[in-house]
Amino acid sequence: MKRVLGCLLMVVAGAVVLGTIPALVIFGEAWEHRSVCNAQYETIEAAMKSVNLLDATPPGAVPDQELYRSCTDPDDHHATISRYYSLTGQHRSPEDIQSFYRDLALLNGWELVSAGDPDDEPSCILKGTLNFEVSFPSELKDTYSVSVSTWPC
């Protein structure tokens, strides 16, 4: 009986250990992802110390929400901080809004660079490894978003 109980205890202990290892691996990966993402958010926030491009608004734009943070890439840990704006009253063209943010970024140390071929028109606004973008979601009328991310240009 002692022998059977000893064997049973060994089987249970082995199952617990083998079941714990995958859980520890998953927990470790989640912890690493969260740590790296938090560091990426700090990098983004530090780059916007002089002027927060996500808080700046051209006339007629109103913030729709608080800042949105995402870091969904579990392999490369690319982080993004963004905000949506609604255009009210005085409607501005997408070109006017792009120009407002581009000029503000350039005045505060960001650079226009080409994404690929050096002969291409500048298409990215970068500060170090950070990418600033203004986009106009087609499904949301009179809305645009601004974002700073660690995604490559």
Side-chain angles (χ1 to χ4, degrees):
M1 182 69 166
K2 281 186 177 183
R3 191 173 191 174
V4 171
L5 191 56
C7 287
L8 183 59
L9 186 58
M10 290 296 286
V11 168
V12 169
V16 168
V17 168
L18 291 176
T20 303
I21 290 172
L24 289 175
V25 169
I26 291 169
F27 176 74
E29 288 174 358
W31 182 81
E32 175 196 17
H33 179 66
R34 185 174 181 186
S35 297
V36 173
C37 290
N38 285 339
Q40 298 284 22
Y41 293 141
E42 289 175 11
T43 300
I44 292 170
E45 290 166 351
M48 293 189 298
K49 283 245 191 246
S50 63
V51 63
N52 189 338
L53 297 172
L54 303 179
D55 286 339
T57 57
V62 177
D64 274 354
Q65 63 184 20
E66 295 297 316
L67 291 175
Y68 173 74
R69 294 171 180 245
S70 67
C71 189
T72 56
D73 184 359
D75 295 325
D76 296 326
H77 313 288
H78 291 296
T80 302
I81 301 178
S82 58
R83 175 173 276 154
Y84 281 86
Y85 290 90
S86 294
L87 295 171
T88 59
Q90 178 185 0
H91 291 284
R92 302 184 62 128
S93 71
E95 293 79 19
D96 288 344
I97 293 168
Q98 289 275 12
S99 178
F100 170 84
Y101 284 104
R102 182 187 61 242
D103 294 347
L104 185 60
L106 294 175
L107 287 171
N108 287 280
W110 293 73
E111 299 178 50
L112 278 175
V113 296
S114 298
D117 186 352
D119 296 330
D120 288 346
E121 286 289 317
S123 58
C124 296
I125 301 174
L126 299 177
K127 189 173 199 176
T129 59
L130 300 178
N131 184 11
F132 176 69
E133 184 177 7
V134 178
S135 59
F136 300 86
S138 59
E139 69 277 3
L140 300 173
K141 187 178 178 182
D142 294 331
T143 300
Y144 69 95
S145 70
V146 292
S147 62
V148 177
S149 72
T150 60
W151 284 96
C153 177

